[in-house]
Amino acid sequence: MVTTREKSGVAGRPVGAVVKGRLQQLLAFASLIVIFAFFSVASPFFFTYGNFTAILFSTVVIGTLAIGTTFVIITGGIDLSIGTGMALCAVMSGVFIVNLDLPLAVGLVATVLFGGLMGLVNGINIALLKIPPFIATLAMMLVAEGLALVVSGSAPIYFSEEPAYTKISTGNLIPGVDFPNAVIVLIVVAVIAGVLLTKTVLGRYTYSIGSNEEATALSGIDVRKWKIAVYAFAGLFIGLAGIMISARLGSAQPATGMGYELQAIAAVVIGGTSLSGGKGSIVGTLIGALIISTLNNGLQIMSIPQEWQNVILGCVILVAVYTDILRKKEA
Amino acid sequence: MLTETATPRTLPLLEVEGVDKSFPGVRALSDMRLELRAGEVLALVGENGAGKSTLMKLLSGIHTPDTGTFTLDGEPLTIAGPKHATELGISIIHQEFNLVPHLTVAQNVFIGREPRRARLLLDERRLVRDARELIGRLHLPLDPNAVVGDLTVANQQMVEIAKALSYDPKVLIMDEPTAALNDAEVATLHELIRRFVRPETGVIYISHRMEEIRRIADRVTVIRDGQYVDTVDVAATSTREIIAMMVGRTLADHAGPQGVRADREVLLEVTGLSTKALLKDVTFDLRAGEILGFAGLMGAGRTETARAIVGADPVDGGVLTLRGSRIRIGHPADAVRHGIGYLSEDRKRYGLLLDKDVKANVTLGALARRFTTAGFVHDRAARAAASEYVGSLRIKTPSVDQTTKFLSGGNQQKVVIAKWLARDCDILIFDEPTRGIDVGAKEEIYQLLNELAEQGKSIIMISSELPEVLRMSHRVVVMSEGRVTRILDAAEASQETIMHYATLRPDENVEDAKELGLDPVETGAAEDEEGKA
Ligand SMILES: Nc1ncnc2c1ncn2[C@@H]1O[C@H](COP(=O)(O)OP(=O)(O)OP(=O)(O)O)[C@@H](O)[C@H]1O
Ligand SMILES: [Mg+2]
């Protein structure tokens, strides 16, 4: 009784709601600082330039995946296929560049487009065949996991003959400064994604669909088309993440993708994007990704065993999703 | 305290004094007063955004006042929350429904206080029995086991009422309870109110429909811009006077259908439109510059016709011809591309992005067409256009950046109208466009519809308010049971003729079928049209 009545406040508590929207992002940023402070005190090896770049460096893959997924989640959807999809894209990159010996640039573009193609298939399944996003992308997750093994023959593909390829990740574009290219790539795509999300029709419709899909459709917007576009667009980031991870490792590992999707989704949610759609930002997602990689890094430095790292990450995800639920109640 | 008319039963039941309430950027109420006497129905009127719902939310514990006092039965009153309010004897029926659609009538009525057995187990049988008893006592046409989501809007309203009355309140507050009801349903509701009002209870009744207020209310309190204006006896005051107090200005003259459209080109032809669920062979045409009214009872198929035309629902058969050439519409986006826009009767569900601001809502439909270059949105142009509509439609909002869920009901409706004006369609299908809109703004919207028609735009206006249909339409399409039973010219259209054709039951009544020239046995008229689809 109380809950329905209170919800019906229709208008609800405006101040609370408005502040809460921003609060989530501020909160995420504050927790990042707290985590930073904690590890700085806890370990003498944490607060160093070398370690900062290491954290940024390890944020790249999750960050890239999370940026694309932010769009999907703002529409009220989900993409579970990004982790294994990334592994498949890494393998495809090996196929294009090593096996087929395509010029580097062509191979890179082909890999990114391959990711886009996966996203396109997800989008079509969801928007046209009306398969719920969770199921459609779960299926794609399995398909990609299998295909990565099939295509690679279950063996890694090494880029030893392609030194330029690994430079994409580990090289230093800015001479003399130890700042890995991968981080520059992340910053560039984050800026592009941020602009697209806030300044273009694609972004506006992404929010509108998440806010009220039926009303958006009745306003004359072809939500089917735009949903396909969003998933395909997010797919490009799967392709890019495939490049970034294989360039960092110097090899395409067909079995490494599983689990990244949940970390990326966690990053998005920690960053204040609502799983129920309509709300979210790229900045928030980056903060979320940074929190996750800082946690991983700090716990590692403190020699906390991997198993415990997972436990802690799991708890962080729980807290994040719980705040999302609280926020949804507020709205 | 108001003591001017001292009849024996003027004991104040509920008093509100000196109440202020502000929201960020909005002073919703200032120094508000109200006095509800025992045994009366007090109407509360005011323009959209005047503060009526806000006042009622204070009384029902949803919001807390900044300052001011409440008195119930002479005792000072502090309302801690919605639950507390019901315990104190104040029940409210909100402007927007508060039902859980997938639960049954009985479950909704007793939600949160279901009878239990052994503390934990739900006593479903008693739940249904209690609900049946309550529904019987109130003479409501409801089945306690029906799922609320399957009920008509009118019956959902009845569930809300049953729920409110199940608390045995002293004060019953109804915020626009009739916005979605037709005349017969309004009559049922009024009967219920009369039965509820006893010497020790009272009703606060909010409505924008003046005839209703005349019928049901004893006194009427007028508020304007969050301030108390006056309280008068309904019997001693003319509607004109009440409206003048409400709007504080004289209203535009009655606008009616202008000119004759019979000579104009036919813009849209709908032939043999059928759906699996309801529509049977719906055929009519729409001329340029014409306002075509759609009348019928609830469930007659007017909204379904609109939704089928714009591709919001699947169609079983039928042909659409636009300016002489056949068009195919599979999705509302196709309809809008052909210049056909549909404003839904359900603004919350199908009209608004409630968690987005006014600007985003007004420009949503026109965004790609009017406010972008190469996919980039011109925020400044969008903002300017939104501000313009806020001005011309007098949308009451602190700014175009206000989240639409914080607007009053009527102002939300205006936002949806603005969205369609911004999109500039040649054919506009307006489904209950004046739902929840105050009398003054209604006139302005009628004026606007006339202007659009003058510019050569065609308008289909679906409305449950017959006076509105009669006043505005060049022609009236009357529907019953999914069929068009008659298309009336303005000259032939009257309450009586419309009601006659709206109540024909060709599927059950042989006489009615004969009158419509239908073969009564053959129900498969729709299938014959399939070839056209
Ligand atoms: N939660 C809120 N946050 C911000 N502003 C609000 C909120 N609730 C109401 N308002 C504002 O307070 C004013 C009064 O709103 P209210 O809903 O009481 O109007 P109303 O008289 O019921 O109008 P209508 O006839 O359109 O229903 C409006 O300007 C509205 O925008
Ligand atoms: Mg209201």
Side-chain angles (χ1 to χ4, degrees), chain A residues 9-15, chain B residues 23-24 26-29 46-55 57 63 95 175-176 206 208 223 347 396-398 402 405-412 436-438:
Chain A
V10 177
R13 267 154 286 170
V15 195
Chain B
F23 297 110
V26 188
R27 183 116 197 233
L29 295 173
E47 287 183 288
N48 294 131
K52 305 180 293 295
S53 298
T54 303
L55 181 57
K57 283 177 188 166
H63 295 316
Q95 190 165 7
D175 196 349
E176 298 193 37
I206 298 177
H208 289 297
I223 68 176
R347 60 175 170 256
K396 201 175 166 219
T397 173
Q402 178 76 321
K405 75 173 162 205
F406 298 139
L407 263 52
S408 80
N411 285 299
Q412 290 178 349
I437 283 194
D438 70 54

Side-chain angles (χ1 to χ4, degrees), chain B residues 403-464:
Chain B
T403 308
T404 38
K405 75 173 162 205
F406 298 139
L407 263 52
S408 80
N411 285 299
Q412 290 178 349
Q413 183 69 16
K414 291 184 185 176
V415 168
V416 189
I417 292 175
K419 174 173 75 181
W420 284 111
L421 297 181
R423 183 55 182 76
D424 191 28
C425 287
D426 288 337
I427 297 173
L428 284 164
I429 306 178
F430 280 166
D431 198 350
E432 307 285 357
T434 61
R435 176 170 286 179
I437 283 194
D438 70 54
V439 263
K442 246 181 200 174
E443 288 300 330
E444 285 160 14
I445 284 171
Y446 295 154
Q447 205 73 49
L448 193 91
L449 294 182
N450 275 330
E451 279 163 27
L452 290 171
E454 282 301 300
Q455 291 162 22
K457 311 231 179 270
S458 306
I459 294 161
I460 290 176
M461 188 180 71
I462 302 172
S463 172
S464 297

